[in-house]
Amino acid sequence: MEKIDKKAKILECTILEYIKTSTPIGSQLLQAIVDFDVSSATILNYLKRMVEDGVLMQFHISGGRVPSIESLRDF
């Protein structure tokens, strides 16, 4: 059985959805998009870490996240 890199998959889904919609992406939307069983709280924890790492940006405390310029370039 292949192990899923959850962080990479969440980042990929966030970037793809952002490219489609040009709007900040939240954890509940990502939960509906990702193809593995994970709670929105777990996704939220990953998103918080990715903001701290500079991979994603969050403009408002209760808002969704958007990919950083560097993340979009790397994608």
Side-chain angles (χ1 to χ4, degrees):
M1 186 171 172
E2 184 178 329
K3 182 176 165 108
I4 297 172
D5 183 352
K6 291 179 183 175
K7 182 179 176 182
K9 185 64 176 176
I10 290 169
L11 179 60
E12 178 185 359
C13 290
T14 303
I15 291 172
L16 290 172
E17 191 65 22
Y18 179 75
I19 289 170
K20 282 193 253 181
T21 65
S22 297
T23 60
I25 310 303
S27 58
Q28 290 181 342
L29 175 61
L30 282 173
Q31 183 184 24
I33 295 171
V34 295
D35 62 354
F36 54 90
D37 188 30
V38 64
S39 71
S40 61
T42 299
I43 291 173
L44 186 59
N45 288 331
Y46 279 106
L47 293 176
K48 285 180 182 180
R49 278 188 251 148
M50 286 189 265
V51 168
E52 291 170 359
D53 294 342
V55 178
L56 298 176
M57 298 181 302
Q58 184 179 20
F59 299 113
H60 188 271
I61 192 79
S62 63
R65 276 72 169 181
V66 297
S68 67
I69 299 298
E70 295 80 21
S71 295
L72 288 170
R73 284 184 188 145
D74 291 344
F75 186 72

